[in-house]
Amino acid sequence: MRIIFDGETDGEKFVPIGRIQAASSWHGPRSAMTEDFYRAKALENLIDAAEDCDADAIIEVGYGVDHAEVGDAPGASMLKRVSVTGLAVKLAHR
């Protein structure tokens, strides 16, 4: 699976399949894992989604962070997860 972040496709032609999205697991501020770990997990999940639709590559990859409040109880913390989107494509055969 090719992952293209910068839009530079080396002159290759692609046929778009559709926009796909995935996310890491939810985690709190005290998580022992780094943000890079959650970005990698989100990207792994995006690759799985691209493979499910038989894509050859993912272009226009972008990351975001989703937030959710656990509740109103004292000591409740904000949860977050890394989300990632991209455009699943097939390589155009010449």
Side-chain angles (χ1 to χ4, degrees):
M1 179 68 52
R2 290 186 56 192
I3 309 297
I4 301 169
F5 292 95
D6 60 7
E8 192 64 38
T9 59
D10 297 328
E12 293 190 52
K13 302 289 184 192
F14 296 103
V15 177
I17 296 173
R19 188 143 303 275
I20 54 176
Q21 62 183 22
S24 70
S25 59
W26 290 99
H27 56 282
R30 295 185 188 164
S31 173
M33 303 301 176
T34 66
E35 197 71 21
D36 288 340
F37 170 83
Y38 290 107
R39 285 174 63 104
K41 285 300 186 185
L43 186 59
E44 284 178 26
N45 293 339
L46 189 70
I47 291 169
D48 289 343
E51 289 173 346
D52 287 346
C53 60
D54 202 28
D56 295 322
I58 307 168
I59 61 174
E60 301 173 7
V61 175
Y63 290 94
V65 177
D66 301 323
H67 297 276
E69 291 190 39
V70 175
D72 296 329
S77 65
M78 178 79 75
L79 292 177
K80 63 182 180 177
R81 68 179 179 181
V82 175
S83 60
V84 61
T85 61
L87 182 63
V89 298
K90 294 286 284 177
L91 291 173
H93 300 289
R94 298 172 197 232

